Amino acid sequence: MTGRGRARSRSRGRTRTYEVQPTEAPGVAPLAPGAAAAVPPAETEQLGRGRQKRSTGAAVPEGEIITISAGFQQMTIGERGGRRRDFHDVGVNTRQAIEHVQESKMGVSGAPIELRANYFRILSRPQWVLYQYHVDYNPPMESRRLRSALLLKNEDLLGTTRTFDGSILFLPHRLPNTVTEFVSETRDGQTVKITLTLTNELPPTSPVCLQFYNIIFRRVLRILNMQQIGRHYYDPNDPKNIPQHRLMVWPGFSTSILRYEVSILLSLDVSHKVLRSETVLNLMYQLRQQCGEAKFEDVCTKELVGLIVLTRYNNKTYRIDGIAWDQTPNNTFSKNDTSISFKNYYKTQYNLDITDNNQVLLISRVKKSGPGGRPLGPALLIPEFCYLTGLTDKMRSDFTIMKDLSAHTRLTPEQREQRLLGFISNMHKDSAAKAEMANWGLQFDNKLLSLKGRVLPPEKISQGGKIYEYSPWVADWTKEMRGVQLMSTQPLEDWMILFIRRNSDCAYSLVQFLGKVCSPMGIRIQKPIMIEVEDRHDSLMRALQQNVTSSTQMVVCILPNNRKDKYDAVKKFLCVDRPTPSQCVVARTLSKPQAMMTVATKIALQMNCKMGGELWSVEIPLKQLMIVGIDCYHDTTAGRRSIAGLVASLNQGMTRWFSKCTIQRPGQEIIDGLKYSLQVALKAWFRHNNCLPSRIIVYRDGVGDGQLQSVVSYEVPQFLECIKALGEDYNPKLSVVVVKKRIGARFFAKIDGKLSNPPPGTVVDNEVTRPEWYDFYVISQAVRIGSVSPTHYNVVYDTSGLKPDYMQRLTHKLCHMYYNWSGIIAVPAPCQYAHKLAFLIGQSIHREPNPNMDELLYYL
Amino acid sequence: MERIKFSPPLYKQRYYFVIDLIMKSQPKKVVDLGCADCSLLRKMKFQQCVEELVGIDINQQVIRENMYLLSPLPCDYLNPRIRPLIIKLYQGSIIEKDPCVKNFDMASCIEVIEHLELSMLEAFSNVVFGYMTPHTIVISTPNADFNRLLLGLTGFRDRDHKFEWTKTEFQNWALDICVRYEYSVTFAGVGSGPAGTEDVGFCTQIAIFTRMPARNDRWPNSNADCDDIHSYKLLHEVKYPSYCDKNIFENALINEMTYWTEKIKKHFLNSTEQGDTKNNVQQDQESNEDVSWCSRSMEKHCVNWSVCKSADGYLEVQKHGDTIHIPLDQLFTILEVKKICSSVVRLKEALLEIEQFEIAGDNLVVCICDNEK
């Protein structure tokens, strides 16, 4: 698989609303031309958008429920009353239970480095507090609007700066009395007694106050005419057009104000929104023209489901969940007990004319519940009024589109700084925005936060008895490993190549080049069985059935194109029915003679890994340690099943891995599968080492924003239980680390007077970490274009007693161990393996693979 | 007697009434006097004919709290309006004059006058009919005759009402206005009572005043003396993206032109290379014959597709050395282009102004050399 494909699939799994943020996953750095490609051909499938959430609070929800807040923690105050999710996992405090990091969670090794981060300090007045009042109505008032109107009639008392959510009032100043009573009158003359009781004086660090800051900040963004789409804000006045693809990129920002290690900071990151000046109807026309009537329904569903659309008449985004093939704008729905056709509804409500009365409607399941908590039925949308946002999968796999896009979205550290500072200065210049903030006593610093980081020394790579170092800035040892024997190899004796006649040249030249590259690596290679098949699905499958035996070590398929179905069928057969390592290569990859050496090298390395060979290792000082990596893949097509991949180390050098994948059944928690996988992994470790590991470190990837609590309170106890089940006296040290790649933090270093990416191995464990967590950032990888995105590690459970410094270094070491990339990657290797595993199963196989494959990296 | 319930609710019926009126008379400049929470304005902004929308209310807080609801939606940027729209919100009293709302095409004053003291009504009429002089004014107010049908109602419908007029009182007032300010009036209303109570009239009575055509001549520059007195305070102003904005227009045109010329060029090169365009055309025609839900609109939409089929003789995309010439009137058949430009002449003018396009006669010249270079 090429790096490009890998990077893309990674970032996609995690996308909420698709923003093109430069995803500097390991592979984004351009690969050697035409690198080996077991590319799951055309990424035409629905990819992991499983966790995509509909935006909330974009517009006034009609008839919404009043949530009268009980406690502080649960309290949510939405600017417009909508309930918000805790995307920042604010309430989760895990550090308090980890004894050895109470004093400090900072590491010591490495060279200090001055860094800048995309955070801004809040400069508020000393002793600033927010006054919180409880508002009581007698007689009680139901309607929130009425409550609001009644209270606000007393402007002279309250002043113009205030925030009221229906029951709680916030003021920047204190009223003369703790309890204030006054009488207000409704429009029909009813007298209502209103009692304001001061319930709290909130310091800036209180969670409520932070939430409040965020609301004020969103108001400011609104004042600056930024448009909210999903969770972020975008500037519609400066769109970047990419006319050849009919795309438009709106630059914008993701913002949040949170309490960090020592102070409250505004985190500001550049975000981009891809919009299309095309309606869904237009896209449907095009699809129909391209694929014809017969396949239209299928193709259309595949293309559209999962996309997020904007509607013309309100400020909401909807996710397309399906297509109502039997509904057109002439169909009616009931509104206020009368039935009205969609066509008439849009005409009377918004003066919008539907030009195509035969278009089918789109279905979007609305998660929010309606008045009285009744769940709302699915919303039906008119394709003509829906604008597409983001990219379809087809577009994502289109190299030219992505290239044209990245020209706008990939920003160098300097460009990024410029955008951020530009925004802050605009905010300071705008008088209305300034007034809003001043009223609340809110002010932001106008420069990036400075902080200190450390750069870990480069690791030594040992391979086949030799030890070499890589250049610290490049973080890649492709050159260094040339001509060096691999750590351990598997001979290629009983293997075969399948190809169609048209590609027989490719096949023979591959064999020839493999012969050349294998011996310096130490791989013994025999002539393969050459099998020519016809360019038909069944021909290929029949050839596999007839030729693959239990002694076959490797099957190479040269695929004529990157159609996914063929790839899927091959992989399925060779992972489930007849477990054999396999390598698919798209013929085009083999078509350039000048690139053949590189391609053949890549393929040889990959095949060796798949058969159980080892390439290199780094020194891991801890003994009896099992590293576990977990990632999830969310399948949107097949009934939204989730797939959890678990990969666990089998030896000291972290060169052999045990992999298990579980498919979550409906109604089942993902952890149930993980528990089982962990148990088999421990048993496998036992088989290899004649003992059980005394330390287990779990790197858990695939945790979405706001899901941390469930990992802490549900998954960790299950891990413990699972370990306990292996024996009463078995009591290993366990650490659980949540790994997150898609985060808003960016770090920059001043190098030669220029703001640049920090060098690989940079660790940040102060200032921008969170006081309630044992967390740190590591930039392991190097990127050539754009800004590097650091990986965030949050140790949520730790009985290892391992010093933070060790934890950081071990984590960075593990980023060296991914065998599909001779360089450092952004996450620990087991996470990337687990990701690849879950991705293959979710994308192609849809079934649990044969256990015979468990100890091979067959999914590389 | 049962409690009367209006469906849709009465306030909505009033809004629909005004919106209907806008649809019929297609005003360009509309002012809502007493706009309160801007909910009527929010409906008005969807009317494509409206180019200037003004809201005035005495209560600035209520405007401030709702004014951002009138901001353009993301889609307004994706699909700019053909005609401009500017929305302005003022804090001000409708019994005071301000030139910013003079000579509008339409003014609405929905459920407002009953909140004025009777003594202020004279000043109101003088400002609205004597100074603002909109072409059409729609005024609604409760019908006091109807109150007896509203169960449990004692006194006025709202505490803040200073008066509620019977049908006769309202009509007399209106007719008097007409005489004094040279307007004509028709009466209507929304919310009818149960059968048998027709004589009572509507729950909300509405008067639609129209300025007499001859009036202008006799009231030259009426009250021009107060034109420099600004009594309203501008709270919010928002300009909607529209093709009348030169930047937006040019950007949109560049986008569409780049997209379509790319397409046409590709198609042209393909078809000349293959040499068997006949086949292609036939295939396309076949697929167009399918009777399906979108095929009809497809044809409409795809005029431009047949356009591309140059070899068909349909259209003269001509090759001149390294360039191809695409006739402008062919480009103009593309729906999107039509939407942006009103005519071929306008298209040509616009393209001539944009540097990156080359025009020869009535053709757009497109270079077919590799863009890679």
Side-chain angles (χ1 to χ4, degrees):
Chain A
M1 173 152 194
T2 65
R4 195 161 57 83
R6 179 172 63 228
R8 206 182 307 126
S9 55
R10 264 200 86 68
S11 58
R12 255 185 293 175
R14 222 126 307 176
T15 312
R16 243 156 245 288
T17 43
Y18 181 73
E19 306 132 25
V20 193
Q21 291 181 336
T23 39
E24 280 82 11
V28 164
L31 268 190
V39 187
E43 285 82 353
T44 48
E45 272 300 271
Q46 291 304 323
L47 290 169
R49 290 224 201 77
R51 262 183 270 131
Q52 231 155 22
K53 287 283 181 289
R54 231 172 53 77
S55 77
T56 52
V60 188
E62 270 178 55
E64 50 115 12
I65 336 146
I66 320 164
T67 27
I68 296 177
S69 18
F72 280 122
Q73 290 297 321
Q74 286 82 39
M75 192 173 71
T76 50
I77 35 172
E79 186 175 7
R80 295 177 188 137
R83 244 189 288 188
R84 291 218 167 82
R85 242 180 76 188
D86 175 14
F87 288 114
H88 301 287
D89 299 304
V90 173
V92 190
N93 189 337
T94 45
R95 187 178 177 181
Q96 59 190 9
I98 306 173
E99 261 168 46
H100 64 284
V101 290
Q102 292 306 307
E103 296 266 292
S104 160
K105 59 178 181 186
M106 285 165 69
V108 289
S109 53
I113 183 171
E114 282 289 337
L115 297 173
R116 305 284 154 77
N118 59 335
Y119 293 85
F120 295 86
R121 275 184 209 288
I122 292 187
L123 316 165
S124 45
R125 295 191 299 268
Q127 267 89 52
W128 184 94
V129 284
L130 182 68
Y131 297 90
Q132 179 186 350
Y133 287 87
H134 183 77
V135 187
D136 227 4
Y137 295 84
N138 188 16
M141 291 285 116
E142 277 292 310
S143 140
R144 195 183 110 135
R145 191 170 286 195
L146 192 57
R147 285 164 163 266
S148 204
L150 284 171
L151 183 71
L152 302 188
K153 277 190 180 170
N154 299 275
E155 191 157 282
D156 40 340
L157 175 72
L158 306 175
T160 47
T161 308
R162 76 242 154 170
T163 284
F164 181 57
D165 79 335
S167 70
I168 289 172
L169 173 75
F170 291 102
L171 293 175
H173 56 88
R174 209 191 149 118
L175 297 179
N177 302 316
T178 315
V179 180
T180 314
E181 288 190 0
F182 51 87
V183 171
S184 200
E185 217 171 60
T186 64
R187 286 185 76 167
D188 41 12
Q190 198 184 2
T191 318
V192 181
K193 198 173 94 182
I194 301 176
T195 314
L196 302 181
T197 318
L198 179 67
T199 50
N200 237 311
E201 295 183 7
L202 301 164
T205 48
S206 80
V208 177
C209 196
L210 286 173
Q211 227 169 354
F212 178 78
Y213 273 153
N214 281 294
I215 289 167
I216 300 300
F217 197 73
R218 281 171 175 259
R219 267 192 213 165
V220 169
L221 290 165
R222 202 78 197 81
I223 290 171
L224 296 173
N225 192 26
M226 302 281 275
Q227 292 275 344
Q228 184 179 11
I229 303 175
R231 268 158 69 195
H232 306 314
Y233 282 80
Y234 301 91
D235 182 4
N237 291 311
D238 186 22
K240 310 270 181 287
N241 289 305
I242 309 173
Q244 57 275 38
H245 312 300
R246 289 211 148 160
L247 292 179
M248 205 185 263
V249 180
W250 283 8
F253 299 94
S254 68
T255 67
S256 68
I257 300 172
L258 283 180
R259 183 181 184 183
Y260 291 93
E261 205 68 44
V262 286
S263 54
I264 300 166
L265 301 172
L266 160 72
S267 143
L268 183 67
D269 193 21
V270 175
S271 165
H272 290 101
K273 191 88 203 162
V274 177
L275 295 166
R276 297 163 71 182
S277 46
E278 232 177 352
T279 63
V280 175
L281 186 65
N282 275 345
L283 182 65
M284 283 175 147
Y285 288 155
Q286 278 172 34
L287 287 176
R288 198 196 152 280
Q289 207 189 29
Q290 280 159 21
C291 69
E293 184 61 18
K295 276 198 260 160
F296 178 62
E297 287 198 9
D298 256 15
V299 173
C300 197
T301 310
K302 229 175 204 172
E303 187 94 348
L304 291 177
V305 169
L307 285 182
I308 306 286
V309 295
L310 277 170
T311 46
R312 254 179 86 168
Y313 42 84
N314 63 18
N315 203 0
K316 286 186 190 168
T317 47
Y318 298 87
R319 179 184 189 275
I320 301 179
D321 291 307
I323 296 166
W325 294 104
D326 53 344
Q327 299 261 7
T328 69
N330 294 323
N331 284 62
T332 57
F333 66 102
S334 68
K335 194 178 185 340
N336 303 328
D337 305 324
T338 51
S339 119
I340 181 167
S341 73
F342 289 98
K343 193 177 166 67
N344 288 338
Y345 175 78
Y346 285 102
K347 182 68 193 170
T348 54
Q349 284 290 316
Y350 305 108
N351 191 31
L352 289 173
D353 291 302
I354 292 175
T355 54
D356 184 346
N357 285 319
N358 296 317
Q359 58 188 307
V360 291
L361 305 188
L362 307 173
I363 303 170
S364 177
R365 276 181 226 111
V366 182
K367 287 213 183 75
K368 199 175 277 172
S369 45
R374 270 180 294 123
L376 292 173
L380 288 171
L381 308 170
I382 312 283
E384 192 173 350
F385 299 151
C386 293
Y387 283 85
L388 295 157
T389 72
L391 302 167
T392 60
D393 293 311
K394 209 164 73 198
M395 298 168 92
R396 267 189 210 116
S397 57
D398 184 328
F399 182 70
T400 54
I401 293 184
M402 295 314 281
K403 201 181 91 199
D404 293 344
L405 258 180
S406 69
H408 293 287
T409 57
R410 211 163 267 175
L411 303 178
T412 64
E414 294 217 307
Q415 290 168 323
R416 205 168 268 271
E417 182 196 33
Q418 216 173 14
R419 285 256 186 109
L420 300 178
L421 295 182
F423 173 79
I424 293 287
S425 87
N426 277 349
M427 193 171 76
H428 285 151
K429 267 187 248 154
D430 187 285
S431 59
K434 225 163 87 184
E436 177 73 34
M437 292 194 298
N439 284 339
W440 292 100
L442 202 59
Q443 207 198 325
F444 295 97
D445 201 354
N446 55 6
K447 54 181 195 293
L448 296 177
L449 180 79
S450 304
L451 72 165
K452 283 200 169 58
R454 286 170 293 115
V455 186
L456 299 178
E459 293 291 326
K460 292 183 176 63
I461 310 283
S462 72
Q463 182 184 334
K466 280 199 178 173
I467 289 178
Y468 54 81
E469 279 183 50
Y470 51 88
S471 145
W473 276 97
V474 183
D476 182 300
W477 48 89
T478 315
K479 257 192 222 139
E480 285 79 359
M481 73 184 292
R482 209 172 280 162
V484 182
Q485 290 224 336
L486 300 178
M487 202 172 141
S488 79
T489 57
Q490 294 290 325
L492 268 170
E493 279 153 353
D494 183 0
W495 64 297
M496 61 188 70
I497 298 190
L498 288 88
F499 53 91
I500 60 168
R501 166 161 300 161
R502 183 151 46 88
N503 296 331
S504 53
D505 285 353
C506 292
Y508 285 100
S509 102
L510 177 65
V511 173
Q512 187 201 340
F513 276 96
L514 279 177
K516 269 192 218 166
V517 299
C518 276
S519 58
M521 294 186 201
I523 303 173
R524 269 188 293 131
I525 181 168
Q526 303 284 325
K527 283 244 160 351
I529 310 166
M530 304 296 285
I531 302 164
E532 192 181 302
V533 296
E534 277 169 59
D535 191 7
R536 283 201 330 266
H537 187 73
D538 56 332
S539 164
L540 178 66
M541 293 317 287
R542 203 169 326 113
L544 285 174
Q545 266 157 10
Q546 283 164 357
N547 294 291
V548 179
T549 64
S550 57
S551 67
T552 307
Q553 292 165 312
M554 171 59 69
V555 179
V556 177
C557 286
I558 297 176
L559 300 173
N561 50 34
N562 54 3
R563 288 251 316 268
K564 190 174 174 299
D565 50 350
K566 221 170 250 172
Y567 176 85
D568 289 356
V570 171
K571 285 288 173 188
K572 198 169 188 172
F573 179 74
L574 294 173
C575 285
V576 181
D577 303 321
R578 212 160 294 172
T580 317
S582 60
Q583 177 74 46
C584 293
V585 190
V586 178
R588 208 163 49 118
T589 325
L590 305 173
S591 61
K592 287 193 200 113
Q594 68 275 21
M596 271 311 279
M597 272 311 264
T598 334
V599 172
T601 309
K602 283 263 172 195
I603 293 178
L605 289 174
Q606 213 171 355
M607 289 197 299
N608 188 46
C609 295
K610 284 180 176 177
M611 292 186 296
E614 297 148 290
L615 305 187
W616 62 76
S617 77
V618 295
E619 199 213 344
I620 308 278
L622 288 171
K623 302 280 178 282
Q624 301 247 308
L625 163 69
M626 180 167 94
I627 300 282
V628 179
I630 296 172
D631 199 359
C632 300
Y633 172 84
H634 301 279
D635 192 347
T636 43
T637 44
R640 299 198 182 207
R641 294 178 311 170
S642 291
I643 287 140
L646 180 143
V647 173
S649 65
L650 289 172
N651 63 353
Q652 166 70 27
M654 306 297 159
T655 57
R656 306 289 312 267
W657 300 90
F658 176 87
S659 316
K660 197 85 198 164
C661 188
T662 48
I663 298 172
Q664 177 195 13
R665 306 215 157 56
Q668 194 189 27
E669 285 290 336
I670 210 129
I671 181 69
D672 296 332
L674 287 177
K675 219 166 107 182
Y676 167 74
S677 304
L678 183 61
Q679 235 153 23
V680 246
L682 282 164
K683 283 176 189 157
W685 166 284
F686 188 84
R687 277 202 306 280
H688 280 252
N689 301 282
N690 291 318
C691 64
L692 284 166
S694 61
R695 290 174 188 277
I696 302 172
I697 299 181
V698 179
Y699 286 95
R700 169 73 159 93
D701 203 343
V703 180
D705 296 346
Q707 295 180 335
L708 190 64
Q709 183 66 57
S710 75
V711 173
V712 173
S713 56
Y714 193 63
E715 288 190 16
V716 174
Q718 299 272 315
F719 286 139
L720 291 168
E721 202 176 290
C722 161
I723 291 164
K724 207 173 240 171
L726 286 161
E728 273 301 299
D729 51 346
Y730 177 50
N731 203 4
K733 293 166 174 163
L734 175 71
S735 315
V736 180
V737 187
V738 172
V739 181
K740 250 181 156 182
K741 247 192 66 65
R742 288 187 67 84
I743 43 167
R746 303 283 179 158
F747 301 116
F748 314 111
K750 262 243 151 68
I751 289 162
D752 300 333
K754 237 179 88 188
L755 209 60
S756 330
N757 284 320
T762 301
V763 178
V764 173
D765 53 9
N766 59 72
E767 290 277 350
V768 292
T769 49
R770 303 263 286 266
E772 71 273 25
W773 293 346
Y774 168 16
D775 62 336
F776 55 89
Y777 294 87
V778 184
I779 297 173
S780 301
Q781 77 278 29
V783 298
R784 290 182 212 177
I785 10 169
S787 319
V788 69
S789 75
T791 307
H792 182 247
Y793 297 92
N794 186 2
V795 186
V796 296
Y797 182 86
D798 191 12
T799 54
S800 71
L802 220 52
K803 280 186 190 144
D805 194 54
Y806 282 13
M807 189 57 105
Q808 294 169 2
R809 283 168 63 189
L810 177 69
T811 302
H812 183 54
K813 275 174 193 285
L814 288 169
C815 297
H816 291 68
M817 293 306 298
Y818 183 61
Y819 284 162
N820 222 0
W821 182 255
S822 47
I824 317 178
I825 62 166
V827 293
C831 287
Q832 188 69 8
Y833 286 138
H835 167 75
K836 287 281 289 184
L837 170 65
F839 188 79
L840 176 76
I841 307 301
Q843 277 269 292
S844 306
I845 300 182
H846 309 293
R847 252 191 283 170
E848 277 165 39
N850 193 302
N852 288 352
M853 310 276 281
D854 284 352
E855 292 183 17
L856 300 174
L857 297 171
Y858 59 94
Y859 41 81
L860 273 190
Chain B
M1 210 159 57
E2 260 187 47
R3 188 177 266 270
I4 299 175
K5 251 190 120 179
F6 297 104
S7 172
L10 200 58
Y11 78 96
K12 279 197 182 166
Q13 293 194 30
R14 287 193 286 262
Y15 291 163
Y16 292 145
F17 185 90
V18 179
I19 296 297
D20 271 346
L21 208 62
I22 291 180
M23 283 175 164
K24 266 180 232 148
S25 56
Q26 300 282 306
K28 278 189 179 168
K29 295 166 85 177
V30 180
V31 55
D32 186 25
L33 306 171
C35 61
D37 63 358
C38 307
S39 43
L40 180 57
L41 292 173
R42 284 173 70 195
K43 297 221 177 303
M44 287 176 170
K45 73 163 190 168
F46 284 105
Q47 304 303 317
Q48 295 297 318
C49 58
V50 179
E51 294 180 11
E52 185 174 349
L53 198 53
V54 173
I56 295 164
D57 204 283
I58 190 102
N59 182 345
Q60 67 166 315
Q61 194 59 30
V62 71
I63 293 186
R64 280 193 196 279
E65 263 159 37
N66 293 288
M67 61 191 188
Y68 290 111
L69 296 174
L70 290 169
S71 300
L73 301 170
C75 284
D76 289 319
Y77 292 91
L78 297 177
N79 181 32
R81 293 166 55 98
I82 292 165
R83 281 193 266 181
L85 170 64
I86 186 161
I87 301 180
K88 292 178 188 164
L89 299 173
Y90 293 95
Q91 188 233 339
S93 163
I94 47 172
I95 56 171
E96 280 169 38
K97 296 171 183 171
D98 191 300
C100 67
V101 282
K102 261 183 100 171
N103 298 320
F104 270 46
D105 299 311
M106 186 185 280
S108 60
C109 186
I110 301 304
E111 304 293 277
V112 174
I113 56 166
E114 64 275 11
H115 292 272
L116 301 174
E117 296 289 350
L118 273 170
S119 55
M120 288 146 90
L121 212 55
E122 180 54 36
F124 167 79
S125 322
N126 189 32
V127 168
V128 176
F129 295 95
Y131 179 77
M132 290 184 193
T133 62
H135 180 269
T136 309
I137 309 169
V138 46
I139 295 179
S140 85
T141 189
N143 173 7
D145 295 331
F146 201 89
N147 284 1
R148 65 181 170 85
L149 299 176
L150 300 171
L151 286 187
L153 178 76
T154 51
F156 293 143
R157 293 182 198 173
D158 186 297
R159 264 300 171 95
D160 192 51
H161 284 183
K162 306 300 185 307
F163 62 86
E164 281 177 6
W165 275 338
T166 63
K167 229 163 50 181
T168 332
E169 284 171 319
F170 182 51
Q171 295 188 355
N172 285 343
W173 174 77
L175 292 169
D176 177 50
I177 295 272
C178 289
V179 175
R180 285 164 55 200
Y181 298 100
E182 299 195 43
Y183 271 77
S184 65
V185 67
T186 52
F187 295 101
V190 291
S192 0
T197 59
E198 286 80 3
D199 56 316
V200 174
F202 296 102
C203 188
T204 297
Q205 45 187 344
I206 301 175
I208 305 147
F209 297 88
T210 313
R211 199 169 61 202
M212 305 279 246
R215 186 183 188 277
N216 282 349
D217 311 334
R218 262 171 292 160
W219 297 60
N221 295 323
S222 57
N223 298 315
D225 50 312
C226 4
D227 278 3
D228 48 353
I229 303 168
H230 290 265
S231 59
Y232 297 170
K233 186 171 132 203
L234 183 67
L235 297 180
H236 190 54
E237 179 175 330
V238 52
K239 207 170 150 198
Y240 272 61
S242 83
Y243 289 130
C244 297
D245 179 305
K246 194 163 181 270
N247 265 336
I248 293 175
F249 170 77
E250 287 194 351
N251 267 332
L253 192 64
I254 291 173
N255 284 347
E256 286 305 327
M257 283 295 144
T258 320
Y259 177 78
W260 287 108
T261 49
E262 254 335 270
K263 267 207 139 150
I264 293 172
K265 190 173 89 183
K266 224 183 246 169
H267 192 94
F268 178 80
L269 293 178
N270 276 348
S271 56
T272 44
E273 260 170 42
Q274 287 170 3
D276 58 359
T277 27
K278 270 270 157 58
N279 241 337
N280 280 347
V281 174
Q282 253 166 19
Q283 261 175 14
D284 282 325
Q285 274 167 354
E286 264 164 22
S287 62
N288 270 350
E289 272 162 23
D290 289 340
V291 184
S292 73
W293 61 270
C294 63
S295 59
R296 238 171 310 147
S297 346
M298 279 279 289
E299 271 165 47
K300 217 188 324 161
H301 188 77
C302 293
V303 178
N304 41 63
W305 281 98
S306 38
V307 162
C308 319
K309 289 171 195 110
S310 45
D312 203 35
Y314 231 108
L315 146 78
E316 312 309 325
V317 173
Q318 281 170 1
K319 200 172 170 192
H320 293 264
D322 271 354
T323 58
I324 52 170
H325 286 197
I326 309 169
L328 290 181
D329 49 348
Q330 298 288 355
L331 283 168
F332 192 68
T333 55
I334 297 166
L335 285 183
E336 285 86 350
V337 179
K338 233 179 214 166
K339 204 180 146 192
I340 302 171
C341 296
S342 45
S343 66
V344 188
V345 181
R346 173 95 178 90
L347 176 66
K348 187 173 171 183
E349 276 171 14
L351 289 178
L352 280 169
E353 258 178 56
I354 303 171
E355 211 173 292
Q356 69 187 79
F357 294 114
E358 199 190 328
I359 303 287
D362 283 327
N363 294 300
L364 178 66
V365 182
V366 181
C367 189
I368 47 170
C369 44
D370 284 343
N371 331 13
E372 319 292 303
K373 292 170 201 163

